[in-house]
Amino acid sequence: MACFKTQVGIVGAGPAGLMLSHLLHLTGIESIVLEARSRAYCEERVRAGVLEHTSVQMLCEAGVGERLSREGLRHGGIDLGVNGLRQRISFIDLTGKCVTVYGQQEVVKDLIARRLADGGELRFECRHVSLHEIEGPQPRIRMDGNAGADEIRCDFIAGCDGFHGISRSAFPPGVLSIYEHTYPFAWLGILAEAPPSRNELLYMHHERGFALYSMRSPRITRLYLQCRPGEDIDEWSYDRIWSELHSRLGCSDGWRPTEGPILQKGVTGMRSFVAEPLQYGRLYLAGDAAHIVPPTGAKGMNLAFADVFHLSDAIAAFYRRNDESKLSTYSQTCLRRIWKAQRFSWWMTALLHRFENESGFDRKRQLAELEYVTTSRAAATSLAENYVGLPLQA
Ligand code: RFL
Ligand code: PHB
């Protein structure tokens, strides 16, 4: 078995792992990133699309926002609709800030290119990654790579390997408290080759179920439909998908989504999940490895960036000043923001979806809340400040 040494061993080359590796590099700290999938797979995986004001600022300040600033679509608000009647919520008016629509896979491409240009070590297609001696001062990562088995000794391990990764399960039994909530619906998402026919996102509450109109670029739209959790995607033909999108998204002023060839389709389950604490010994969790939000609030990738911002800062304080205080409060610091994002994502989800078997009381209350959010400046401001992103220290 070949042995290597680095300061921080990072499991996972998603937004969290790549950004952490880059932020550490900026402060002169070495890392090795170990990823189970191929580079092409990581760069093509279509997921998140909305970057908070705070995440954009972080990427730009870290010197990886050049293409994002050029190609990202800046949105000063969203439309929120109920059965075809929509109301704009202006983030600019209410908060002075906006969000940027820029695909997660583009962020990942930019970060991979930058790490490689800076001489960073990214190892793709690692098999059987396992973590050892996380309680001691020299934890180790073992894995099988293309050239055989390797062991990496590090000072710290960052578990950035997403919800299905191995890092969370390396915590000894009984250490983690799990908080979770599953929703009685899922999202059927498509990527379509059709120029966006509106400038901003449209979140529509409809009798037939929630629908979302989003986009990726001046050529590509991204659309979602509320569906059943176990929905069989093969039952959704091109015609059925577009007909349902027209029924739910069509507006009373005649606006309809523009159709185009469907490039990808898939069903995504919805859950809220938090594992606490985010640290045990020298192992630190960040991003989806520690928490999942339903996509309605567009918070997942943004929370991953906030975690690694704090983690890189805490690791830098350790090497620079032998100061462990930020490492010891890392979990608490992140959890404050994580729970606010959980609350917001749950609230947006409950506001916008149809719930089977809901009582008449719940239905009336939901419609009253939709009317309140779209007509009260105070309520709309609360939505806007959460959507554009709370300050990093919040
Ligand atoms: P990732 O992106 O899942 O990356 C984890 C990486 O770890 C690798 N891995 C392993 N590597 C080595 N060994 C192992 N044993 C490993 N196991 C796993 C994986 O291959 C992967 O490369 O986690 P990270 O970095 O924490 O980033 C989180 C985000 O990806 C996620 O929160 C967002 O995509 C969520 N999300 C959204 N977030 C937003 O901020 N805005 C949005 O608009 C938004 N929309 C969405 C979304 C997620 C969606 N899906 C598909 C879940 C829309 C959808 C439909
Ligand atoms: C997306 O474009 O994929 C997207 C946008 C907003 C959301 C979720 C997903 O709330």
Side-chain angles (χ1 to χ4, degrees):
M1 183 182 299
C3 287
F4 298 84
K5 199 167 173 341
T6 191
Q7 289 173 297
V8 184
I10 300 176
V11 189
L18 291 166
M19 186 65 176
L20 176 63
S21 178
H22 176 64
L23 291 173
L24 290 173
H25 168 74
L26 294 180
T27 58
I29 299 165
E30 276 179 14
S31 64
I32 298 180
V33 180
L34 306 172
E35 165 60 46
R37 303 291 197 146
S38 68
R39 177 178 177 183
Y41 182 91
C42 294
E43 291 187 339
E44 297 311 321
R45 187 168 38 196
V46 175
R47 281 177 146 195
V50 178
L51 286 167
E52 290 177 356
H53 161 84
T54 328
S55 304
V56 171
Q57 218 171 12
M58 195 191 301
L59 288 159
C60 291
E61 279 168 14
V64 280
E66 193 262 329
R67 194 162 69 96
L68 158 68
S69 306
R70 211 167 1 101
E71 295 177 17
L73 309 170
R74 261 168 289 281
H75 288 195
I78 54 169
D79 272 347
L80 209 66
V82 183
N83 293 325
L85 273 177
R86 64 190 145 81
Q87 202 69 43
R88 180 159 190 266
I89 298 193
S90 169
F91 299 156
I92 294 279
D93 272 7
L94 297 167
T95 68
K97 294 171 186 159
C98 59
V99 294
T100 301
V101 171
Y102 188 67
Q104 177 168 323
Q105 75 275 27
E106 304 307 320
V107 177
V108 164
K109 276 182 208 158
D110 295 345
L111 285 168
I112 290 178
R114 183 58 189 267
R115 283 310 292 126
L116 294 176
D118 288 342
E121 189 168 347
L122 307 180
R123 297 193 189 184
F124 292 97
E125 299 179 61
C126 299
R127 294 183 307 280
H128 309 127
V129 175
S130 58
L131 312 185
H132 305 271
E133 293 177 31
I134 57 171
E135 278 165 80
Q138 278 279 284
R140 292 171 295 119
I141 309 179
R142 286 202 191 132
M143 48 115 189
D144 293 332
N146 291 331
D150 286 338
E151 181 175 277
I152 297 169
R153 286 171 189 272
C154 5
D155 298 333
F156 300 99
I157 297 178
C160 302
D161 48 351
F163 185 69
H164 300 287
I166 47 95
S167 298
R168 205 173 53 248
S169 54
F171 279 57
V175 170
L176 285 177
S177 297
I178 304 293
Y179 301 90
E180 60 187 322
H181 180 78
T182 46
Y183 298 83
F185 38 74
W187 279 13
L188 188 158
I190 65 159
L191 200 65
E193 195 172 356
S197 47
R198 54 186 310 105
N199 294 328
E200 292 175 348
L201 272 57
L202 169 61
Y203 288 81
M204 184 69 84
H205 173 87
H206 195 274
E207 293 294 333
R208 299 177 64 85
F210 169 72
L212 169 61
Y213 184 88
S214 179
M215 60 203 71
R216 282 292 177 276
S217 72
R219 272 189 329 107
I220 305 286
T221 41
R222 178 86 168 135
L223 301 103
Y224 297 96
L225 288 166
Q226 175 182 350
C227 64
R228 289 168 301 162
E231 195 77 50
D232 179 1
I233 192 79
D234 293 333
E235 285 178 14
W236 287 80
S237 65
Y238 179 101
D239 285 345
R240 181 173 174 208
I241 292 175
W242 282 114
S243 145
E244 195 61 31
L245 284 166
H246 284 297
S247 304
R248 296 192 200 177
L249 286 169
C251 291
S252 50
D253 61 3
W255 180 84
R256 296 274 176 285
T258 319
E259 289 190 24
I262 295 178
L263 306 172
Q264 270 187 38
K265 57 178 185 173
V267 172
T268 307
M270 309 268 281
R271 61 155 72 81
S272 302
F273 175 95
V274 183
E276 294 189 12
L278 276 65
Q279 173 252 337
Y280 182 78
R282 290 285 183 113
L283 169 61
Y284 293 80
L285 300 180
D288 277 15
H291 42 77
I292 296 286
V293 284
T296 328
K299 288 280 159 263
M301 174 167 54
N302 296 293
L303 272 183
F305 285 141
D307 288 353
V308 299
F309 171 84
H310 291 299
L311 186 53
S312 62
D313 188 40
I315 294 175
F318 172 85
Y319 284 116
R320 250 192 240 128
R321 305 187 292 276
N322 206 18
D323 174 359
E324 296 199 30
S325 59
K326 287 186 176 175
L327 283 170
S328 64
T329 53
Y330 166 72
S331 183
Q332 271 167 274
T333 304
C334 291
L335 282 165
R336 279 201 295 275
R337 186 186 181 84
I338 290 165
W339 277 109
K340 288 186 190 115
Q342 288 290 355
R343 182 209 69 81
F344 176 66
S345 306
W346 168 85
W347 174 78
M348 280 279 279
T349 305
L351 178 74
L352 289 164
H353 290 75
R354 286 303 314 263
F355 287 78
E356 237 176 72
N357 306 324
E358 70 201 336
S359 68
F361 177 86
D362 284 340
R363 178 79 184 127
K364 291 280 188 187
R365 187 198 48 72
Q366 185 187 39
L367 291 170
E369 187 154 16
L370 279 160
E371 191 176 316
Y372 178 52
V373 172
T374 49
T375 54
S376 150
R377 188 173 173 91
T381 305
S382 167
L383 187 159
E385 77 166 351
N386 280 278
Y387 198 100
V388 299
L390 296 173
L392 268 173
Q393 307 299 340

